[in-house]
Amino acid sequence: KAGVTQTPRYLIKTRGQQVTLSCSPISGHRSVSWYQQTPGQGLQFLFEYFSETQRNKGNFPGRFSGRQFSNSRSEMNVSTLELGDSALYLCASSFNPGQGDETQYFGPGTRLLVL
Amino acid sequence: GENVEQHPSTLSVQEGDSAVIKCTYSDSASNYFPWYKQELGKRPQLIIDIRSNVGEKKDQRIAVTLNKTAKHFSLHITETQPEDSAVYFCAASSNAGNMLTFGGGTRLMVKP
């Protein structure tokens, strides 16, 4: 099976702009989670989508949003970008979380630089 | 919410020695504890995981132990090799969903 893919891999934006990142999960996986990775804060959970519904949300401002489509592909959007949003954004997919199959497989990430 | 602390933040060992990384968690509802290895510029990769109904799990040179009473779990790597050099993350989650709370990471350096 193909692994989790993310596009784009690299992105440069300026403050105030918005950005949309995409994640395609492993075929058959219905859950997609998003994480932000920075040197200072480490890996932090953003949100999780399962069957097109947001099931969990981390402690990030409302500028961070996401959605999931019927084919399980997911997008996350960050509006009004700030310098502190510069990070590696990772998505992870899993088959059936909370039902004994929680293993999350990560994508390669999208590295976002905000200038 | 859940809080996971990981120690040490850096660990340097000689090739062939053992390495131990420890994590503590705060939420007694957590029942799934994965460990990820992340090499420079690459994605985190699952190396081993354990569920709360198991006390220990081994996979070749890697083992994880879990103490639910004390709320801590540890990663043990034996016979370390230079290719084990990476950053290792522990994490915890509960049945509430697929939300992983990560520790701060341990940079393991294996010197040949």
Side-chain angles (χ1 to χ4, degrees):
Chain A
K1 279 186 181 178
V4 180
T5 58
Q6 291 185 245
T7 57
R9 294 292 312 279
Y10 303 93
L11 209 48
I12 300 175
K13 292 286 187 178
T14 55
R15 279 182 299 173
Q17 287 187 310
Q18 74 165 23
V19 66
T20 300
L21 313 181
S22 180
C23 172
S24 292
I26 292 171
S27 177
H29 285 192
R30 294 163 64 191
S31 169
V32 174
S33 298
W34 289 89
Y35 296 86
Q36 181 195 66
Q37 186 173 28
T38 60
Q41 300 298 318
L43 274 157
Q44 291 187 290
F45 173 80
L46 281 154
F47 29 66
E48 182 227 354
Y49 286 87
F50 182 79
S51 293
E52 301 179 65
T53 301
Q54 186 182 87
R55 188 161 61 171
N56 287 291
K57 189 177 190 307
N59 294 324
F60 279 81
R63 299 185 298 106
F64 292 82
S65 63
R67 59 178 175 167
Q68 187 180 34
F69 301 95
S70 58
N71 62 358
S72 293
R73 189 177 70 85
S74 177
E75 288 182 347
M76 68 163 280
N77 184 78
V78 188
S79 62
T80 320
L81 284 166
E82 300 176 0
L83 296 179
D85 297 334
S86 296
L88 180 67
Y89 290 88
L90 293 158
C91 77
S93 77
S94 60
F95 177 67
N96 194 6
Q99 301 297 322
D101 195 346
E102 298 98 335
T103 304
Q104 292 194 37
Y105 299 89
F106 281 86
T110 293
R111 188 164 295 281
L112 171 64
L113 177 62
V114 182
L115 300 175
Chain B
E2 174 68 278
N3 182 50
V4 178
E5 294 195 359
Q6 183 172 346
H7 299 281
S9 57
T10 59
L11 180 59
S12 181
V13 300
Q14 287 293 137
E15 182 178 359
D17 287 351
S18 295
V20 180
I21 303 171
K22 300 181 179 182
C23 290
T24 59
Y25 62 99
S26 61
D27 188 353
S28 56
S30 289
N31 59 1
Y32 174 64
F33 308 91
W35 286 87
Y36 285 86
K37 173 184 180 182
Q38 187 175 30
E39 297 176 74
L40 190 62
K42 297 193 175 180
R43 72 187 76 190
Q45 298 231 324
L46 180 76
I47 56 170
I48 196 166
D49 57 10
I50 192 168
R51 290 176 173 80
S52 58
N53 57 349
V54 175
E56 183 176 1
K57 184 177 178 181
K58 285 184 180 180
D59 183 2
Q60 300 183 347
R61 298 185 296 109
I62 294 173
V64 58
T65 58
L66 171 65
N67 183 326
K68 284 191 298 182
T69 303
K71 292 185 195 165
H72 67 70
F73 56 113
S74 301
L75 177 71
H76 304 253
I77 306 175
T78 58
E79 300 171 22
T80 54
Q81 302 165 2
E83 50 265 39
D84 293 330
S85 296
V87 179
Y88 291 80
F89 292 96
C90 63
S93 78
S94 70
N95 278 335
N98 219 5
M99 173 179 167
L100 288 177
T101 300
F102 283 88
T106 296
R107 182 173 301 279
L108 173 64
M109 293 169 284
V110 181
K111 293 183 276 188

